[in-house]
Amino acid sequence: MKSSWYMLPASPKHKRRFMTLMATSLSGFGSGAASNPKFIDVLTDNSLTTNLEMCLDAGDASSYTSGQSWLDVSGNDIDFFRGADGSAASDDPTFNGSGYFSADGGDFFRHDTGNAAWMTALHRDNAVYSGAAWIYHDTGHSSQHLFFAATWGNQSNEGIAWTMGTTDKSQITVANGSGSSWAFDQASVSTMGTGWHFVGLSINEAGGGVSFHYVDGTDDAAFDAAYTSPGTGNATNTYEIWGAGGATLAPSGARMAVFAFWEGTALTAANFDTIYAATKGRFGL
């Protein structure tokens, strides 16, 4: 263990993080075998941590063992509450000891200290960002499955929503706060069936036709992600996983094991290929 952890300030958050690290070994998900590596180790070993803003991994004991927060292991302290705040309640996702969280139709995660500065840049002009997640999707749901969002269904808000629609395809929606929003749907990658899936998103707003969705080893046809009259204000709501403003919560049966996000870097299809190949064994793929 690096001695730098002993230098952490004695804030409640750092005390909680320190105790989590002290109480767990440095092994990865499960037995720590090569087939089940920690997600942050995969990113580090493959030089994919540039502009990495957050990395949540329910299979990494440094990210979660118990308690009310899913801890970021990127080093940036972008922790998320289970539910709306730090209190145990019915909106808390359920942790499964096998290394994932599950939803019952009324659960979500919320960033624990409002929006970080990088989050406010996602819906603005010249935005560049990427996301990656391991999710379990159950087909036939009748509501949106929001992966990461600050708004949904209200065009007067500002923010993005990365979601899976009822068509079982990945989608990115951006709201500009002026009564309009636009969506970039995943068109050519086949719909996701019931089971574990690796989903990725790469956005370069000013880059022309270079943005794309990624699912299970396949990158979608590239599209132009140019925003129309992009907003200039802050995101309306605090960013959430599995919700937006405490509403439009993940459908019952949804699961999530990993969520990571980069701001300032648009990952390539080859980058996602590397991550997928290194982590799919953990999910029996």
Side-chain angles (χ1 to χ4, degrees), residues 82-213:
R82 292 171 60 214
D85 53 38
S87 302
S90 61
D91 57 9
D92 295 350
T94 299
F95 177 67
N96 182 287
S98 297
Y100 63 84
F101 288 95
S102 60
D104 62 10
D107 303 332
F108 67 102
F109 300 90
R110 177 176 290 163
H111 184 224
D112 67 356
T113 53
N115 287 327
W118 62 267
M119 295 176 180
T120 67
L122 302 180
H123 63 279
R124 296 179 179 175
D125 201 18
N126 298 311
V128 178
Y129 54 90
S130 303
W134 272 102
I135 60 103
Y136 183 94
H137 179 63
D138 190 1
T139 58
H141 62 100
S142 59
S143 61
Q144 294 289 324
H145 183 171
L146 299 183
F147 303 146
F148 186 64
T151 184
W152 179 257
N154 187 338
Q155 297 178 349
S156 296
N157 289 343
E158 293 190 57
I160 70 164
W162 181 24
T163 177
M164 184 186 301
T166 55
T167 59
D168 302 316
K169 294 184 178 182
S170 179
Q171 171 180 293
I172 178 70
T173 301
V174 183
N176 66 3
S178 300
S180 63
S181 63
W182 53 102
F184 303 108
D185 287 294
Q186 186 174 28
S188 60
V189 174
S190 60
T191 58
M192 289 181 240
T194 298
W196 283 102
H197 297 279
F198 178 68
V199 293
L201 173 71
S202 181
I203 297 292
N204 185 339
E205 190 272 339
V210 298
S211 299
F212 63 95
H213 295 272

Side-chain angles (χ1 to χ4, degrees), residues 4 30 38 41 87 118 126-127 164 180 215 222 227 238 242 266 281:
S4 58
K38 294 188 289 186
D41 287 347
S87 302
W118 62 267
N126 298 311
M164 184 186 301
S180 63
V215 178
Y227 297 169
T238 299
W242 280 354

